Amino acid sequence: MSLLSQDTAGLLFDDAGAIRQSDLRGGVSPWAAGFNRPIRQPLTQNIAVDVLIVGAGITGSMMAERLTRLGRQVCVIDRERPGFGSTAASTAMLEWEIDLPLVELAAIYGFERAAEIYRLSLDAVAGLYTLVSAMPHVSSLRRRSKVYLAGGDNGARELLAEHELRKRAGLPGAFVDHRALRAEFEFDREAAIVSPGSAEVDPLRLSHALLTAAAGRGAALFDAEAVGYDCGGRTVNVATDHGYTIEANHVVLATGYVMPDIVKSDLHKIASSWVIATPPQLPDRLWRDDALIWEASKNYLYARTTIDNRIVIGGEDDDQIVEPKARDALMPRKAEILLDKLKLLWPRADALAEFVWSGAFSTTVDGLPLIGTVPGHRNVFAAYGYGGNGITFSYMASQIISLLIAGQRRSWFDHFAIDRAPAA
Ligand SMILES: Cc1cc2nc3c(=O)[nH]c(=O)nc-3n(C[C@H](O)[C@H](O)[C@H](O)COP(=O)(O)OP(=O)(O)OC[C@H]3O[C@@H](n4cnc5c(N)ncnc54)[C@H](O)[C@@H]3O)c2cc1C
């Protein structure tokens, strides 16, 4: 099935209703379904709720956990299996460093605003870590430092400039030159920034654990597809695929890389990404501290380890090949390339691909998510955490939208607003 017309390829999915989870990802990732896999009930009548969340991936689950903790009556719907959309393809590095380096973000928004955004992201990972570490069944959560490696046009000089700006913004981290990087981490790159405050997790287990926590506090989970939004009255009426309507005081859209028509944004675009996971490595074949690795080149590469000592390495993004079949057909070739890159990065690895998968991946021009009130629809909120920090941004969305629903605002919400206008 071709889901994209020629002229929109690489920009947006143009037929949101037709996109299914199998279009969002291909292959198999190593993540295991949660112990308490959430059970969806069929929707058999019209219902009325306080908050309806559309989409039960990591974003919808995080929203449901928070809103039920705050005492809200919540209903979550998903048209397919919760967690098996983009969430199951995620490499789940919980990072605060945004896709756009601080230097580049400051060039768009000025230093003060960019620095505040970075600090908010740092706080979000800390908050996310605190939340998840208190949850049962998420034993895959680990604190990690991050090694941001020089690569491509981003050499030692560029990294030093980035480091200096981060220092000015009050962000943690150390600049490590080539010699120190070789001595301490054994990576053969010009330089790196090594920073604390990141984490890693199994995204599918986390998503299911969050949903289970929400269900334990009374959230209802239905097998239903939202097919229409009537926002004309004091409440929002959401039409579903089997003809029943859900009337909600507030609706949160957490539909991942598939946006309904009522959200208009030209800030994001879809690309494809590929990932492999090796078999478990002998512990002495892994790099120091099992740090998260991110290469600063435009054609970036990232890597992490798992609790069973696999190396997960991904990247190779392509915004021209977004049609799911074409994307998935490239998996064997992309796996070879990623294995070659792994051998260069870390020659000690047992470089085999036991898992190979691909995913639709959406980014925004400024590396920031789309979170907040949907313009023109005061009771409808969007929670779209795009980019390599998608999960950090899902957490941020749960903070922002729960406050908005409670009628509260903070000035920093504007940084992530759907109708923000980044400077060209
Ligand atoms: C290869 C890859 C690597 C990544 N690595 C990282 C990483 O290391 N760190 C990080 O933070 N982020 C990463 N991300 C991004 C992160 O995975 C995503 O931001 C996140 O998974 C999105 O979750 P979601 O819940 O918003 O979307 P999804 O998981 O796609 O969930 C959306 C759900 O909405 C449902 N839905 C859609 N439309 C409807 C409808 N009309 N009615 C009912 N249900 C509907 C779908 O069935 C789906 O279950 C990565 C993504 C990819 C693809």
Side-chain angles (χ1 to χ4, degrees):
M1 169 171 53
S2 174
L3 295 166
L4 295 159
S5 64
Q6 286 301 314
D7 53 353
T8 57
L11 289 174
L12 290 170
F13 285 119
D14 71 343
D15 186 2
I19 305 285
R20 285 296 177 264
Q21 291 180 340
S22 57
D23 299 314
L24 292 173
R25 59 183 180 85
V28 182
S29 64
W31 312 127
F35 289 117
N36 298 314
R37 207 184 275 213
I39 312 235
R40 285 173 302 162
Q41 315 155 37
L43 186 64
T44 53
Q45 58 182 346
N46 295 337
I47 58 169
V49 292
D50 181 19
V51 186
L52 169 66
I53 298 171
V54 184
I58 190 89
T59 311
S61 307
M62 202 110 59
M63 282 297 332
E65 191 283 333
R66 188 172 192 99
L67 287 168
T68 52
R69 188 152 35 91
L70 294 172
R72 293 268 170 189
Q73 184 214 4
V74 170
C75 161
V76 186
I77 60 171
D78 201 301
R79 61 189 181 187
E80 294 184 82
R81 289 187 301 161
F84 285 87
S86 301
T87 297
S90 183
T91 46
M93 295 160 53
L94 309 180
E95 304 162 282
W96 55 266
E97 286 145 304
I98 291 159
D99 282 359
L100 236 53
L102 182 57
V103 168
E104 287 180 36
L105 198 63
I108 299 178
Y109 291 119
F111 171 74
E112 294 303 337
R113 178 164 163 178
E116 185 178 37
I117 290 169
Y118 258 74
R119 287 192 297 266
L120 287 164
S121 182
L122 179 66
D123 289 349
V125 180
L128 179 54
Y129 185 88
T130 304
L131 167 72
V132 180
S133 57
M135 297 184 68
H137 308 312
V138 199
S139 56
S140 56
L141 179 73
R142 294 282 183 281
R143 275 189 204 283
R144 292 289 181 232
S145 52
K146 172 153 167 192
V147 179
Y148 184 63
L149 289 171
D153 290 343
N154 282 315
R157 203 156 49 103
E158 287 72 20
L159 255 57
L160 187 57
E162 173 71 12
H163 168 67
E164 293 298 341
L165 207 63
R166 287 187 190 183
K167 224 166 57 180
R168 199 179 135 204
L171 298 163
F175 178 80
V176 181
D177 67 15
H178 175 70
R179 248 191 26 202
L181 186 63
R182 289 277 305 183
E184 290 173 30
F185 283 92
E186 300 175 57
F187 291 123
D188 189 15
R189 294 297 168 95
E190 262 185 51
I193 299 173
V194 179
S195 44
S198 295
E200 68 183 30
V201 77
D202 175 328
L204 198 52
R205 286 226 166 150
L206 174 57
S207 180
H208 288 174
L210 290 161
L211 214 46
T212 302
R217 297 187 203 113
L221 177 58
F222 290 107
D223 177 3
E225 174 171 7
V227 293
Y229 298 84
D230 175 0
C231 310
R234 278 186 47 243
T235 55
V236 184
N237 283 300
V238 178
T240 65
D241 51 344
H242 290 301
Y244 298 110
T245 299
I246 303 177
E247 182 186 357
N249 295 326
H250 314 276
V251 172
V252 181
L253 302 172
T255 51
Y257 299 152
V258 190
M259 275 183 175
D261 291 346
I262 55 169
V263 187
K264 311 266 179 251
S265 168
D266 53 9
L267 293 182
H268 72 127
K269 70 172 183 177
I270 297 275
S272 294
S273 195
W274 291 266
V275 195
I276 58 169
T278 69
Q281 307 277 323
L282 292 171
D284 64 357
R285 293 209 176 177
L286 296 174
W287 50 81
R288 181 175 153 184
D289 301 338
D290 293 329
L292 307 183
I293 309 295
W294 195 281
E295 194 186 68
S297 62
K298 282 275 172 254
N299 186 13
Y300 71 100
L301 183 77
Y302 60 85
R304 59 166 279 192
T305 61
T306 62
I307 47 166
D308 55 351
N309 293 334
R310 296 176 192 280
I311 296 173
V312 173
I313 183 162
E316 281 298 298
D317 292 14
D318 191 324
D319 61 7
Q320 296 305 307
I321 298 161
V322 291
E323 197 277 328
K325 267 193 185 146
R327 179 196 68 214
D328 293 351
L330 276 174
M331 283 195 294
R333 175 75 195 115
K334 293 291 186 177
E336 274 175 34
I337 296 172
L338 289 168
L339 282 174
D340 287 343
K341 290 191 168 179
L342 173 60
K343 286 176 203 157
L344 282 176
L345 177 74
W346 194 245
R348 217 183 293 158
D350 183 9
L352 288 170
E354 192 168 302
F355 294 88
V356 181
W357 70 103
S358 69
F361 189 74
S362 193
T363 53
T364 53
V365 291
D366 54 10
L368 303 179
L370 302 171
I371 302 173
T373 310
V374 173
H377 304 286
R378 64 190 171 84
N379 294 333
V380 184
F381 306 91
Y384 293 115
Y386 292 130
N389 303 60
I391 299 175
T392 304
F393 292 146
S394 300
Y395 177 81
M396 219 184 245
S398 74
Q399 283 184 305
I400 294 175
I401 292 173
S402 58
L403 283 167
L404 286 173
I405 286 176
Q408 296 179 38
R409 278 201 57 79
R410 305 282 183 271
S411 59
W412 59 267
F413 292 179
D414 294 343
H415 303 337
F416 310 106
I418 297 160
D419 53 359
R420 66 180 180 270

